Amino acid sequence: MKTARRIAALPPYLFAEIDRKVSERKAAGVDVISFGVGDPDLPTPGHIVEELARAAYDASTHQYPSYFGLPGFRQAIADFYARRFGVTLDPGTQVLPLIGSKEGIAHLPWAFVDPGDPVLVTEPGYPVYEVGTILAGGEPVHIPLRAEDGWFPRLETVDGAVADRAKILWLGYPANPTAAVASLEQLEQAVRFAADHEVLLAHDNAYSEITYDGFVAPSVLQVPGAVDTAVEFGSLSKIYNMTGWRIGWVVGNPEAIEALGRVKTNIDSGIFNAIQRAGMAALNGGMDHLPALLATYQRRRDRIMEVFWDAGWKVDAPKGALYVWLPTPAGESSVDFTARLLDDAGVVVAPGSGYGPSGEGYIRLSLTISDDRLEEGCERVRKALVGG
Ligand code: PLP
């Protein structure tokens, strides 16, 4: 058997060593507490589940869905953009439902990237920006993000000739893993850069509603003219605790949407109609659950920050997404600090280097852990860092 070269080209799975150690610790009887994955622990709001049940009993949902999604779901996404961002979208040409935003992020390069084409990948970032590029035969060109820039790229430092050849610029705020947020002015810079270099700006807004301390995340499509050069990914996963349902969308530039749609019609057959009907119930039903959800995450964030602040860390609490992103102690690599927290506290965190080379020297803790496990984990980390 001979696997493809593109598989060998995928970045190494940096969590493999951590996974091995976790299994080892568990086998040794350690009660391991995981701050590793960003997967909401709280349930999907009841009215959405009820709509799924109702729709699943309606046999008309049992056949292949339309490739382009239910008109009602596309309209619900457009209505959400109008209400939330003041952005008008044509549900016929500027909205495409996805089987989770990850699916569209992974497939977009198939519509834009020919073998060898550069793709500008901001890192540390969601790993699928890079992996999708590699699977399509493209060449990821890293744009390093730095703490001193608020984890926003210095686009003026990107080689102009490379940018001119590049097909896509990947950007995502509120960000995984850095938990950074971006202002509309910053997104405007990215739109200008994309227009100047004729690159598709792919903005990942999967955490659009998950923000703290009063920060309200913008959409890239609020930038005047952005629709000429940008698409934006969104998702019900984090907003409505629906990661397992696999439902999201891409909106924006109609040519890009059409091109991605063409790829998808050849690969998948859309989203189960009952899930789309539940998605309509979610978006049309508003976001009454959100204040309590955000209060829970903010409380958890503050508890984690308290532990690290008390241990001497001098960093601000993050303003968005489901993570706390922290530097490792001086001289300790991401993987070493991760291993130390596992050995000394029985706590799993994600090493920053798993999200790109510029994530070296950082760890990521997820806020999607139940309050009692979080408390126990925080207490153990506190003891490991300051003793007592
Ligand atoms: N974008 C970012 C930044 C993420 O962190 C994730 C998931 O963790 C996704 C997209 C994919 O979300 P989904 O496919 O569930 O919509």
Side-chain angles (χ1 to χ4, degrees):
M1 215 191 291
K2 303 176 199 76
T3 57
R5 278 192 296 276
R6 73 177 73 88
I7 297 293
L10 294 179
Y13 179 57
L14 262 167
F15 302 95
E17 177 60 12
I18 303 292
D19 287 351
R20 194 187 56 74
K21 279 181 150 266
V22 169
S23 304
E24 231 175 65
R25 304 298 292 167
K26 282 188 176 162
V30 176
D31 170 29
V32 173
I33 298 179
S34 178
F35 287 79
V37 265
D39 189 354
D41 57 305
L42 295 166
T44 305
H47 68 283
I48 303 171
V49 180
E50 282 158 19
E51 179 58 21
L52 172 68
R54 253 193 309 274
Y57 277 109
D58 174 352
S60 75
T61 65
H62 297 178
Q63 292 179 294
Y64 284 123
S66 145
Y67 286 120
F68 304 107
L70 288 175
F73 183 49
R74 295 165 78 119
Q75 185 65 54
I77 296 165
D79 291 346
F80 164 63
Y81 262 74
R83 266 193 323 269
R84 168 65 171 83
F85 301 113
V87 168
T88 304
L89 295 170
D90 173 357
T93 60
Q94 296 180 322
V95 177
L96 181 63
L98 299 170
I99 311 168
S101 61
K102 179 180 189 178
E103 178 264 303
I105 291 169
H107 284 142
L108 185 70
W110 288 94
F112 278 84
V113 176
D114 288 312
D117 283 347
V119 170
L120 305 174
V121 175
T122 49
E123 60 80 24
Y126 183 50
V128 186
Y129 309 151
E130 170 145 354
V131 166
T133 299
I134 294 170
L135 289 176
E139 296 284 340
V141 176
H142 287 166
I143 305 183
L145 305 177
R146 313 232 177 264
E148 57 269 32
D149 302 321
W151 304 103
F152 193 82
R154 286 191 197 193
L155 292 167
E156 68 282 5
T157 65
V158 177
D159 182 325
V162 175
D164 284 341
R165 287 202 304 119
K167 293 292 189 71
I168 302 174
L169 164 61
W170 282 108
L171 209 63
Y173 298 93
N176 175 14
T178 64
V181 293
S183 65
L184 188 58
E185 291 69 34
Q186 286 174 309
L187 295 182
E188 204 169 342
Q189 289 170 24
V191 170
R192 213 174 312 124
F193 175 92
D196 287 351
H197 296 284
E198 296 183 33
V199 175
L200 173 69
L201 172 58
H203 183 248
D204 178 1
N205 211 351
Y207 297 90
S208 64
E209 309 312 302
I210 311 295
T211 52
Y212 313 110
D213 303 328
F215 183 84
V216 178
S219 160
V220 78
L221 297 176
Q222 287 173 272
V223 176
V227 74
D228 295 336
T229 194
V231 289
E232 183 162 87
F233 290 86
S235 176
L236 295 178
S237 287
K238 311 296 159 66
I239 306 178
Y240 291 96
N241 303 331
M242 290 175 69
T243 47
W245 298 56
R246 311 315 301 134
I247 181 163
W249 60 80
V250 60
V251 296
N253 183 270
E255 289 80 31
I257 301 265
E258 195 275 331
L260 176 57
R262 219 167 341 144
V263 171
K264 278 172 54 59
T265 54
N266 286 286
I267 294 177
D268 66 64
S269 299
I271 309 163
F272 181 26
N273 279 333
I275 291 183
Q276 293 189 65
R277 297 230 307 238
M280 288 160 60
L283 288 173
N284 294 337
M287 299 199 177
D288 291 349
H289 67 293
L290 207 55
L293 185 66
L294 296 181
T296 299
Y297 289 141
Q298 189 161 323
R299 190 179 67 245
R300 293 173 180 176
R301 176 202 70 168
D302 291 346
R303 178 68 184 107
I304 296 172
M305 292 310 299
E306 185 185 16
V307 169
F308 282 87
W309 282 334
D310 286 351
W313 264 253
K314 294 190 173 21
V315 286
D316 293 331
K319 290 225 173 340
L322 293 175
Y323 313 103
V324 168
W325 176 247
L326 295 165
T328 59
E332 200 165 349
S333 74
S334 299
V335 167
D336 286 350
F337 189 44
T338 300
R340 177 152 73 95
L341 289 173
L342 181 59
D343 288 341
D344 296 356
V347 157
V348 178
V349 303
S353 49
Y355 301 90
S358 303
E360 180 50 78
Y362 286 83
I363 56 164
R364 191 195 80 171
L365 285 84
S366 164
L367 305 176
T368 56
I369 171 172
S370 69
D371 290 338
D372 56 332
R373 295 298 275 167
L374 177 114
E375 189 46 45
E376 164 80 14
C378 280
E379 188 47 28
R380 289 200 214 160
V381 171
R382 191 189 66 73
K383 281 200 184 120
L385 295 178
V386 298

PDB file of all heavy atoms in Angstrom, residues 38 99-103 105 126 129 172 174-176 204-207 234-238 242-243 246-248 323 364, ligand 1:
ATOM      1  N   GLY A  38     -11.725  22.357  23.140  1.00  0.00           N
ATOM      2  CA  GLY A  38     -12.715  23.428  23.200  1.00  0.00           C
ATOM      3  C   GLY A  38     -14.044  22.897  22.699  1.00  0.00           C
ATOM      4  O   GLY A  38     -14.360  23.033  21.521  1.00  0.00           O
ATOM      5  N   ILE A  99     -21.443  21.713   6.661  1.00  0.00           N
ATOM      6  CA  ILE A  99     -21.559  20.622   7.649  1.00  0.00           C
ATOM      7  C   ILE A  99     -20.574  20.939   8.792  1.00  0.00           C
ATOM      8  O   ILE A  99     -19.609  20.230   9.037  1.00  0.00           O
ATOM      9  CB  ILE A  99     -21.263  19.260   6.981  1.00  0.00           C
ATOM     10  CG1 ILE A  99     -22.065  19.126   5.684  1.00  0.00           C
ATOM     11  CG2 ILE A  99     -21.609  18.117   7.937  1.00  0.00           C
ATOM     12  CD1 ILE A  99     -21.634  17.963   4.819  1.00  0.00           C
ATOM     13  N   GLY A 100     -20.824  22.047   9.449  1.00  0.00           N
ATOM     14  CA  GLY A 100     -19.857  22.608  10.400  1.00  0.00           C
ATOM     15  C   GLY A 100     -18.908  23.515   9.631  1.00  0.00           C
ATOM     16  O   GLY A 100     -18.597  23.262   8.452  1.00  0.00           O
ATOM     17  N   SER A 101     -18.441  24.581  10.271  1.00  0.00           N
ATOM     18  CA  SER A 101     -17.559  25.498   9.537  1.00  0.00           C
ATOM     19  C   SER A 101     -16.254  24.813   9.151  1.00  0.00           C
ATOM     20  O   SER A 101     -15.645  25.145   8.137  1.00  0.00           O
ATOM     21  CB  SER A 101     -17.307  26.783  10.339  1.00  0.00           C
ATOM     22  OG  SER A 101     -16.678  26.509  11.564  1.00  0.00           O
ATOM     23  N   LYS A 102     -15.818  23.823   9.940  1.00  0.00           N
ATOM     24  CA  LYS A 102     -14.576  23.110   9.624  1.00  0.00           C
ATOM     25  C   LYS A 102     -14.615  22.515   8.216  1.00  0.00           C
ATOM     26  O   LYS A 102     -13.619  22.555   7.483  1.00  0.00           O
ATOM     27  CB  LYS A 102     -14.363  21.989  10.652  1.00  0.00           C
ATOM     28  CG  LYS A 102     -13.120  21.165  10.429  1.00  0.00           C
ATOM     29  CD  LYS A 102     -13.007  20.092  11.497  1.00  0.00           C
ATOM     30  CE  LYS A 102     -11.665  19.384  11.449  1.00  0.00           C
ATOM     31  NZ  LYS A 102     -11.572  18.388  12.534  1.00  0.00           N
ATOM     32  N   GLU A 103     -15.784  21.990   7.874  1.00  0.00           N
ATOM     33  CA  GLU A 103     -15.928  21.366   6.551  1.00  0.00           C
ATOM     34  C   GLU A 103     -15.641  22.380   5.437  1.00  0.00           C
ATOM     35  O   GLU A 103     -14.880  22.106   4.499  1.00  0.00           O
ATOM     36  CB  GLU A 103     -17.339  20.771   6.445  1.00  0.00           C
ATOM     37  CG  GLU A 103     -17.679  20.126   5.136  1.00  0.00           C
ATOM     38  CD  GLU A 103     -18.417  21.058   4.193  1.00  0.00           C
ATOM     39  OE1 GLU A 103     -19.487  21.579   4.550  1.00  0.00           O
ATOM     40  OE2 GLU A 103     -17.887  21.268   3.088  1.00  0.00           O
ATOM     41  N   ILE A 105     -14.015  25.256   5.751  1.00  0.00           N
ATOM     42  CA  ILE A 105     -12.642  25.758   5.855  1.00  0.00           C
ATOM     43  C   ILE A 105     -11.687  24.769   5.178  1.00  0.00           C
ATOM     44  O   ILE A 105     -10.762  25.164   4.471  1.00  0.00           O
ATOM     45  CB  ILE A 105     -12.276  25.967   7.359  1.00  0.00           C
ATOM     46  CG1 ILE A 105     -13.084  27.146   7.928  1.00  0.00           C
ATOM     47  CG2 ILE A 105     -10.777  26.178   7.541  1.00  0.00           C
ATOM     48  CD1 ILE A 105     -13.019  27.293   9.446  1.00  0.00           C
ATOM     49  N   TYR A 126      -6.098  28.129  13.976  1.00  0.00           N
ATOM     50  CA  TYR A 126      -6.866  26.885  13.860  1.00  0.00           C
ATOM     51  C   TYR A 126      -6.160  26.007  12.805  1.00  0.00           C
ATOM     52  O   TYR A 126      -5.966  26.448  11.657  1.00  0.00           O
ATOM     53  CB  TYR A 126      -8.288  27.246  13.437  1.00  0.00           C
ATOM     54  CG  TYR A 126      -9.247  26.106  13.323  1.00  0.00           C
ATOM     55  CD1 TYR A 126      -9.394  25.168  14.351  1.00  0.00           C
ATOM     56  CD2 TYR A 126     -10.045  25.963  12.197  1.00  0.00           C
ATOM     57  CE1 TYR A 126     -10.300  24.134  14.238  1.00  0.00           C
ATOM     58  CE2 TYR A 126     -10.960  24.927  12.083  1.00  0.00           C
ATOM     59  CZ  TYR A 126     -11.080  24.012  13.103  1.00  0.00           C
ATOM     60  OH  TYR A 126     -11.969  22.978  12.991  1.00  0.00           O
ATOM     61  N   TYR A 129      -6.674  25.650   8.700  1.00  0.00           N
ATOM     62  CA  TYR A 129      -6.270  26.605   7.646  1.00  0.00           C
ATOM     63  C   TYR A 129      -5.073  26.030   6.881  1.00  0.00           C
ATOM     64  O   TYR A 129      -4.995  26.097   5.659  1.00  0.00           O
ATOM     65  CB  TYR A 129      -5.849  27.961   8.219  1.00  0.00           C
ATOM     66  CG  TYR A 129      -6.818  28.624   9.193  1.00  0.00           C
ATOM     67  CD1 TYR A 129      -6.357  29.465  10.196  1.00  0.00           C
ATOM     68  CD2 TYR A 129      -8.183  28.409   9.096  1.00  0.00           C
ATOM     69  CE1 TYR A 129      -7.224  30.084  11.086  1.00  0.00           C
ATOM     70  CE2 TYR A 129      -9.060  29.012   9.992  1.00  0.00           C
ATOM     71  CZ  TYR A 129      -8.570  29.848  10.985  1.00  0.00           C
ATOM     72  OH  TYR A 129      -9.421  30.446  11.875  1.00  0.00           O
ATOM     73  N   GLY A 172      -8.775  34.704  11.663  1.00  0.00           N
ATOM     74  CA  GLY A 172      -9.931  34.330  12.481  1.00  0.00           C
ATOM     75  C   GLY A 172      -9.950  35.020  13.822  1.00  0.00           C
ATOM     76  O   GLY A 172      -9.022  34.861  14.614  1.00  0.00           O
ATOM     77  N   PRO A 174     -13.018  36.295  16.987  1.00  0.00           N
ATOM     78  CA  PRO A 174     -12.215  35.906  18.145  1.00  0.00           C
ATOM     79  C   PRO A 174     -11.447  34.617  17.848  1.00  0.00           C
ATOM     80  O   PRO A 174     -11.972  33.713  17.182  1.00  0.00           O
ATOM     81  CB  PRO A 174     -13.249  35.690  19.253  1.00  0.00           C
ATOM     82  CG  PRO A 174     -14.433  36.552  18.829  1.00  0.00           C
ATOM     83  CD  PRO A 174     -14.452  36.483  17.345  1.00  0.00           C
ATOM     84  N   ALA A 175     -10.215  34.546  18.364  1.00  0.00           N
ATOM     85  CA  ALA A 175      -9.253  33.590  17.829  1.00  0.00           C
ATOM     86  C   ALA A 175      -9.088  32.328  18.676  1.00  0.00           C
ATOM     87  O   ALA A 175      -9.100  32.373  19.895  1.00  0.00           O
ATOM     88  CB  ALA A 175      -7.891  34.278  17.702  1.00  0.00           C
ATOM     89  N   ASN A 176      -8.899  31.244  17.966  1.00  0.00           N
ATOM     90  CA  ASN A 176      -8.405  29.996  18.536  1.00  0.00           C
ATOM     91  C   ASN A 176      -6.996  29.824  17.969  1.00  0.00           C
ATOM     92  O   ASN A 176      -6.851  29.851  16.759  1.00  0.00           O
ATOM     93  CB  ASN A 176      -9.302  28.837  18.092  1.00  0.00           C
ATOM     94  CG  ASN A 176      -8.786  27.498  18.552  1.00  0.00           C
ATOM     95  OD1 ASN A 176      -7.919  27.413  19.397  1.00  0.00           O
ATOM     96  ND2 ASN A 176      -9.343  26.440  17.969  1.00  0.00           N
ATOM     97  N   ASP A 204     -12.615  33.689   9.702  1.00  0.00           N
ATOM     98  CA  ASP A 204     -13.283  32.640  10.483  1.00  0.00           C
ATOM     99  C   ASP A 204     -13.875  33.289  11.730  1.00  0.00           C
ATOM    100  O   ASP A 204     -13.146  33.700  12.629  1.00  0.00           O
ATOM    101  CB  ASP A 204     -12.210  31.590  10.834  1.00  0.00           C
ATOM    102  CG  ASP A 204     -12.746  30.470  11.683  1.00  0.00           C
ATOM    103  OD1 ASP A 204     -13.946  30.474  12.008  1.00  0.00           O
ATOM    104  OD2 ASP A 204     -11.943  29.577  12.025  1.00  0.00           O
ATOM    105  N   ASN A 205     -15.198  33.365  11.758  1.00  0.00           N
ATOM    106  CA  ASN A 205     -15.882  34.041  12.873  1.00  0.00           C
ATOM    107  C   ASN A 205     -16.703  33.035  13.679  1.00  0.00           C
ATOM    108  O   ASN A 205     -17.793  33.346  14.165  1.00  0.00           O
ATOM    109  CB  ASN A 205     -16.783  35.157  12.320  1.00  0.00           C
ATOM    110  CG  ASN A 205     -16.921  36.325  13.284  1.00  0.00           C
ATOM    111  OD1 ASN A 205     -16.488  36.250  14.442  1.00  0.00           O
ATOM    112  ND2 ASN A 205     -17.522  37.407  12.828  1.00  0.00           N
ATOM    113  N   ALA A 206     -16.140  31.819  13.844  1.00  0.00           N
ATOM    114  CA  ALA A 206     -16.884  30.752  14.522  1.00  0.00           C
ATOM    115  C   ALA A 206     -17.228  31.099  15.967  1.00  0.00           C
ATOM    116  O   ALA A 206     -18.148  30.533  16.544  1.00  0.00           O
ATOM    117  CB  ALA A 206     -16.079  29.448  14.470  1.00  0.00           C
ATOM    118  N   TYR A 207     -16.482  32.038  16.563  1.00  0.00           N
ATOM    119  CA  TYR A 207     -16.745  32.421  17.963  1.00  0.00           C
ATOM    120  C   TYR A 207     -17.399  33.803  18.052  1.00  0.00           C
ATOM    121  O   TYR A 207     -17.254  34.486  19.059  1.00  0.00           O
ATOM    122  CB  TYR A 207     -15.426  32.438  18.753  1.00  0.00           C
ATOM    123  CG  TYR A 207     -14.759  31.087  18.850  1.00  0.00           C
ATOM    124  CD1 TYR A 207     -13.846  30.663  17.892  1.00  0.00           C
ATOM    125  CD2 TYR A 207     -15.052  30.228  19.901  1.00  0.00           C
ATOM    126  CE1 TYR A 207     -13.239  29.418  17.970  1.00  0.00           C
ATOM    127  CE2 TYR A 207     -14.448  28.986  20.002  1.00  0.00           C
ATOM    128  CZ  TYR A 207     -13.542  28.586  19.033  1.00  0.00           C
ATOM    129  OH  TYR A 207     -12.952  27.358  19.123  1.00  0.00           O
ATOM    130  N   GLY A 234     -19.065  30.924   9.751  1.00  0.00           N
ATOM    131  CA  GLY A 234     -19.780  31.010  11.021  1.00  0.00           C
ATOM    132  C   GLY A 234     -20.289  29.638  11.399  1.00  0.00           C
ATOM    133  O   GLY A 234     -20.230  28.691  10.600  1.00  0.00           O
ATOM    134  N   SER A 235     -20.811  29.542  12.604  1.00  0.00           N
ATOM    135  CA  SER A 235     -21.154  28.215  13.097  1.00  0.00           C
ATOM    136  C   SER A 235     -22.151  28.297  14.237  1.00  0.00           C
ATOM    137  O   SER A 235     -22.114  29.247  15.033  1.00  0.00           O
ATOM    138  CB  SER A 235     -19.878  27.541  13.593  1.00  0.00           C
ATOM    139  OG  SER A 235     -20.170  26.297  14.154  1.00  0.00           O
ATOM    140  N   LEU A 236     -23.004  27.284  14.326  1.00  0.00           N
ATOM    141  CA  LEU A 236     -23.878  27.188  15.494  1.00  0.00           C
ATOM    142  C   LEU A 236     -23.168  26.491  16.651  1.00  0.00           C
ATOM    143  O   LEU A 236     -23.659  26.493  17.779  1.00  0.00           O
ATOM    144  CB  LEU A 236     -25.146  26.405  15.128  1.00  0.00           C
ATOM    145  CG  LEU A 236     -26.052  27.069  14.091  1.00  0.00           C
ATOM    146  CD1 LEU A 236     -27.248  26.169  13.779  1.00  0.00           C
ATOM    147  CD2 LEU A 236     -26.545  28.428  14.567  1.00  0.00           C
ATOM    148  N   SER A 237     -21.993  25.903  16.380  1.00  0.00           N
ATOM    149  CA  SER A 237     -21.330  25.029  17.357  1.00  0.00           C
ATOM    150  C   SER A 237     -21.112  25.686  18.706  1.00  0.00           C
ATOM    151  O   SER A 237     -21.465  25.129  19.747  1.00  0.00           O
ATOM    152  CB  SER A 237     -19.968  24.584  16.817  1.00  0.00           C
ATOM    153  OG  SER A 237     -20.127  23.644  15.799  1.00  0.00           O
ATOM    154  N   LYS A 238     -20.486  26.860  18.689  1.00  0.00           N
ATOM    155  CA  LYS A 238     -20.070  27.473  19.949  1.00  0.00           C
ATOM    156  C   LYS A 238     -21.162  28.386  20.495  1.00  0.00           C
ATOM    157  O   LYS A 238     -21.308  28.549  21.698  1.00  0.00           O
ATOM    158  CB  LYS A 238     -18.763  28.258  19.748  1.00  0.00           C
ATOM    159  CG  LYS A 238     -17.666  27.479  19.019  1.00  0.00           C
ATOM    160  CD  LYS A 238     -17.200  26.266  19.792  1.00  0.00           C
ATOM    161  CE  LYS A 238     -16.524  25.209  18.942  1.00  0.00           C
ATOM    162  NZ  LYS A 238     -15.271  25.510  18.319  1.00  0.00           N
ATOM    163  N   MET A 242     -23.599  23.421  20.072  1.00  0.00           N
ATOM    164  CA  MET A 242     -24.064  22.443  19.079  1.00  0.00           C
ATOM    165  C   MET A 242     -22.908  21.821  18.299  1.00  0.00           C
ATOM    166  O   MET A 242     -23.056  21.502  17.122  1.00  0.00           O
ATOM    167  CB  MET A 242     -25.057  23.121  18.112  1.00  0.00           C
ATOM    168  CG  MET A 242     -26.379  23.470  18.765  1.00  0.00           C
ATOM    169  SD  MET A 242     -27.495  24.404  17.695  1.00  0.00           S
ATOM    170  CE  MET A 242     -27.957  23.184  16.455  1.00  0.00           C
ATOM    171  N   THR A 243     -21.770  21.619  18.951  1.00  0.00           N
ATOM    172  CA  THR A 243     -20.621  21.095  18.199  1.00  0.00           C
ATOM    173  C   THR A 243     -20.916  19.742  17.540  1.00  0.00           C
ATOM    174  O   THR A 243     -20.448  19.474  16.441  1.00  0.00           O
ATOM    175  CB  THR A 243     -19.379  20.955  19.107  1.00  0.00           C
ATOM    176  OG1 THR A 243     -19.764  20.321  20.312  1.00  0.00           O
ATOM    177  CG2 THR A 243     -18.758  22.293  19.426  1.00  0.00           C
ATOM    178  N   ARG A 246     -22.994  19.432  13.778  1.00  0.00           N
ATOM    179  CA  ARG A 246     -22.308  19.707  12.501  1.00  0.00           C
ATOM    180  C   ARG A 246     -23.141  20.604  11.591  1.00  0.00           C
ATOM    181  O   ARG A 246     -23.724  20.166  10.593  1.00  0.00           O
ATOM    182  CB  ARG A 246     -21.922  18.393  11.770  1.00  0.00           C
ATOM    183  CG  ARG A 246     -21.223  17.343  12.588  1.00  0.00           C
ATOM    184  CD  ARG A 246     -20.104  17.905  13.474  1.00  0.00           C
ATOM    185  NE  ARG A 246     -19.087  18.590  12.706  1.00  0.00           N
ATOM    186  CZ  ARG A 246     -18.597  19.806  13.062  1.00  0.00           C
ATOM    187  NH1 ARG A 246     -19.025  20.462  14.126  1.00  0.00           N
ATOM    188  NH2 ARG A 246     -17.670  20.359  12.317  1.00  0.00           N
ATOM    189  N   ILE A 247     -23.186  21.864  11.949  1.00  0.00           N
ATOM    190  CA  ILE A 247     -23.921  22.828  11.129  1.00  0.00           C
ATOM    191  C   ILE A 247     -23.284  24.215  11.267  1.00  0.00           C
ATOM    192  O   ILE A 247     -23.040  24.689  12.376  1.00  0.00           O
ATOM    193  CB  ILE A 247     -25.442  22.811  11.465  1.00  0.00           C
ATOM    194  CG1 ILE A 247     -26.204  23.807  10.592  1.00  0.00           C
ATOM    195  CG2 ILE A 247     -25.709  23.024  12.946  1.00  0.00           C
ATOM    196  CD1 ILE A 247     -27.719  23.555  10.569  1.00  0.00           C
ATOM    197  N   GLY A 248     -22.988  24.791  10.122  1.00  0.00           N
ATOM    198  CA  GLY A 248     -22.382  26.122  10.091  1.00  0.00           C
ATOM    199  C   GLY A 248     -22.677  26.750   8.740  1.00  0.00           C
ATOM    200  O   GLY A 248     -23.600  26.335   8.031  1.00  0.00           O
ATOM    201  N   TYR A 323     -11.034  30.146  25.380  1.00  0.00           N
ATOM    202  CA  TYR A 323      -9.703  29.746  25.831  1.00  0.00           C
ATOM    203  C   TYR A 323      -9.024  30.804  26.680  1.00  0.00           C
ATOM    204  O   TYR A 323      -9.344  31.991  26.600  1.00  0.00           O
ATOM    205  CB  TYR A 323      -8.812  29.442  24.611  1.00  0.00           C
ATOM    206  CG  TYR A 323      -9.510  28.561  23.624  1.00  0.00           C
ATOM    207  CD1 TYR A 323     -10.051  29.090  22.452  1.00  0.00           C
ATOM    208  CD2 TYR A 323      -9.710  27.208  23.900  1.00  0.00           C
ATOM    209  CE1 TYR A 323     -10.755  28.290  21.575  1.00  0.00           C
ATOM    210  CE2 TYR A 323     -10.410  26.401  23.022  1.00  0.00           C
ATOM    211  CZ  TYR A 323     -10.932  26.944  21.864  1.00  0.00           C
ATOM    212  OH  TYR A 323     -11.630  26.154  21.006  1.00  0.00           O
ATOM    213  N   ARG A 364      -2.560  26.547  25.971  1.00  0.00           N
ATOM    214  CA  ARG A 364      -3.964  26.933  25.859  1.00  0.00           C
ATOM    215  C   ARG A 364      -4.799  26.110  26.831  1.00  0.00           C
ATOM    216  O   ARG A 364      -4.663  24.883  26.877  1.00  0.00           O
ATOM    217  CB  ARG A 364      -4.452  26.668  24.425  1.00  0.00           C
ATOM    218  CG  ARG A 364      -5.801  27.266  24.117  1.00  0.00           C
ATOM    219  CD  ARG A 364      -6.404  26.676  22.850  1.00  0.00           C
ATOM    220  NE  ARG A 364      -7.010  25.370  23.120  1.00  0.00           N
ATOM    221  CZ  ARG A 364      -7.759  24.694  22.252  1.00  0.00           C
ATOM    222  NH1 ARG A 364      -7.969  25.178  21.046  1.00  0.00           N
ATOM    223  NH2 ARG A 364      -8.283  23.532  22.571  1.00  0.00           N
TER     224      ARG A 364
HETATM  225  N1  PLP B   1     -12.926  27.742  13.548  1.00  0.00           N
HETATM  226  C1  PLP B   1     -12.296  27.737  14.715  1.00  0.00           C
HETATM  227  C2  PLP B   1     -11.378  28.864  15.040  1.00  0.00           C
HETATM  228  C3  PLP B   1     -12.475  26.678  15.623  1.00  0.00           C
HETATM  229  O1  PLP B   1     -11.821  26.695  16.790  1.00  0.00           O
HETATM  230  C4  PLP B   1     -13.341  25.626  15.264  1.00  0.00           C
HETATM  231  C5  PLP B   1     -13.554  24.486  16.160  1.00  0.00           C
HETATM  232  O2  PLP B   1     -13.003  24.340  17.213  1.00  0.00           O
HETATM  233  C6  PLP B   1     -13.970  25.678  14.026  1.00  0.00           C
HETATM  234  C7  PLP B   1     -13.744  26.746  13.190  1.00  0.00           C
HETATM  235  C8  PLP B   1     -14.860  24.573  13.552  1.00  0.00           C
HETATM  236  O3  PLP B   1     -16.103  24.591  14.157  1.00  0.00           O
HETATM  237  P1  PLP B   1     -17.324  23.783  13.570  1.00  0.00           P
HETATM  238  O4  PLP B   1     -16.835  22.914  12.469  1.00  0.00           O
HETATM  239  O5  PLP B   1     -17.853  22.991  14.722  1.00  0.00           O
HETATM  240  O6  PLP B   1     -18.290  24.817  13.066  1.00  0.00           O
END
